[in-house]
Amino acid sequence: MNHMTQLPDRRSVRGGGGAAHAGPPPARTGKRRRPTSPQWAAWGFLTPVTLYLALFYAYPLYRNIDLSLRNYTVRSFVQGNAPFTGLKNYRAVLDDPTFSPALLHTVVFTAVCLVFQYAIGLALAVFFNQNFRLSATLRALFLVPWLLPLIVSASTWSWMLNSESGIVNTALHAIGIGPVNWLTSPSWSLTSVIIANIWIGVPFNLVVLHSGLQSIPASLYEAAALDGANAWHRFRRITFPLLRPVSAITLLLGLVYTLKVFDIIWIMTKGGPAGSSTTFATWSYQLGFGNLLPAFGPGAVVGNLLVVAALVFGLVYLRVQRKQALS
């Protein structure tokens, strides 16, 4: 017998005794998986957003909270060695005689503006949803107040409501009504800035609500018309319920915007006369920058109150939306 036939097969020895034991090598442990190309792309898109939020939202909010908890002066603001005072600035703001009128003006200004902006915007959205001739042109013209810079809009309203040479008093005089001190009377100053802000905010409500109306199927209106429903019943039973999610986000955004309105009030009345149109936004500016000896701490406190109010309404909106999604 040939002695070469008695030698074992080297391939079977190296393979562990036969083909039955052959298989892929065991996976290596202890090493992290490298991010794939889609993961790198996701991190690449997420990094600029994270940096933007950290630099322009998180850090300013942190600085505002720090300002409200310390006794900052102009010197300590530059040098950064202001003493810690805790809640002393908060107590000073709550005890200030300006707090209650400013709170009332903020609530009235926000509530009245929201109601009229939404109601007028909804009425115009329903009107322009009929697709008549020149509908697109007229809808574009209604966007002009929203597209103008706020300083231009506020200056225009200041000229129109001027007590002596304003076009509004001229029109009132033509129909036999005496002049009204729109901007210089404590009884009319808040009304004047409310009118101006409603005029500026209506186009936003019109655009958003009109987009919501476009998403409602026309077949629903046709079926309701066949059942004998008139225009009011169709609006009540179809338009308004199906427009509720869009209405909620419109009111929320309008609330956040209206709470922080500063430039319109400041340009038209500067919060006066005698504080009759002072809101939290203008009061915060007056405390921090409107005096020779600025009160940075109390001004930051008033700003934080606005942030908390907007945050509370935002959380309420999220909670309502979550309940509607689960129901």
Side-chain angles (χ1 to χ4, degrees):
M1 181 181 296
N2 191 355
H3 65 279
M4 295 296 297
T5 58
Q6 297 178 359
L7 295 176
D9 191 356
R10 293 181 180 179
R11 290 178 296 179
S12 61
V13 173
R14 291 180 181 179
H21 298 283
R28 297 181 180 180
T29 59
K31 291 186 178 181
R32 297 181 179 179
R33 295 177 57 188
R34 294 183 178 180
T36 60
S37 180
Q39 289 177 332
W40 280 117
W43 281 109
F45 283 108
L46 186 62
T47 301
V49 178
T50 304
L51 293 176
Y52 174 80
L53 293 176
L55 291 176
F56 295 101
Y57 286 89
Y59 180 72
L61 182 60
Y62 161 75
R63 288 291 298 160
N64 207 57
I65 295 175
D66 182 70
L67 281 173
S68 66
L69 298 176
R70 296 180 182 273
N71 184 20
Y72 272 96
T73 61
V74 176
R75 182 176 181 179
S76 60
F77 186 82
V78 175
Q79 297 179 351
N81 55 353
F84 181 80
T85 59
L87 299 178
K88 182 179 178 180
N89 290 325
Y90 287 86
R91 290 192 296 267
V93 168
L94 295 177
D95 295 337
D96 195 298
T98 309
F99 177 79
S100 297
L103 176 61
L104 178 61
H105 298 159
T106 303
V107 172
V108 172
F109 179 82
T110 304
V112 175
C113 287
L114 279 181
V115 171
F116 279 91
Q117 286 175 354
Y118 177 78
I120 299 174
L122 180 59
L124 291 174
V126 173
F127 175 73
F128 286 116
N129 196 40
Q130 300 176 6
N131 295 325
F132 55 90
R133 183 179 296 180
L134 298 180
S135 174
T137 303
L138 293 176
R139 191 167 67 249
L141 292 177
F142 269 97
L143 295 179
V144 173
W146 190 34
L147 299 177
L148 287 175
L150 291 178
I151 188 172
V152 175
S153 301
S155 301
T156 302
W157 276 100
S158 297
W159 168 75
M160 292 174 59
L161 297 176
N162 187 275
S163 302
E164 299 178 357
S165 59
I167 189 174
V168 176
N169 277 349
T170 302
L172 293 178
H173 179 73
I175 60 177
I177 300 177
V180 178
N181 297 323
W182 295 99
L183 304 178
T184 58
S185 172
S187 302
W188 288 101
S189 60
L190 185 61
T191 303
S192 301
V193 296
I194 287 176
I195 293 174
N197 191 65
I198 290 174
W199 179 79
I200 293 172
V202 164
F204 171 77
N205 288 262
L206 167 61
V207 171
V208 178
L209 294 175
H210 185 267
S211 301
L213 290 176
Q214 295 294 312
S215 63
I216 299 177
S219 58
L220 297 178
Y221 294 104
E222 297 174 357
L226 293 176
D227 291 338
N230 55 27
W232 167 247
H233 288 153
R234 291 196 297 270
F235 174 80
R236 183 182 176 185
R237 301 294 184 181
I238 299 176
T239 304
F240 195 74
L242 295 181
L243 204 61
R244 191 173 301 167
V246 180
S247 299
I249 191 62
T250 303
L251 291 173
L252 177 63
L253 294 176
L255 172 70
V256 174
Y257 167 79
T258 309
L259 279 175
K260 65 182 183 64
V261 168
F262 161 77
D263 32 24
I264 299 172
I265 302 175
W266 190 257
I267 293 172
M268 294 181 64
T269 64
K270 288 184 170 58
S276 57
S277 59
T278 297
T279 61
F280 275 177
T282 58
W283 188 29
S284 176
Y285 178 83
Q286 288 174 340
L287 290 173
F289 305 99
N291 301 313
L292 293 177
L293 297 177
F296 294 114
V301 170
V302 179
N304 288 336
L305 294 178
L306 288 175
V307 172
V308 170
L311 181 62
V312 168
F313 283 104
L315 293 177
V316 171
Y317 167 77
L318 293 177
R319 185 175 181 86
V320 171
Q321 290 295 104
R322 186 176 301 175
K323 286 185 178 181
Q324 291 180 355
L326 295 177
S327 61

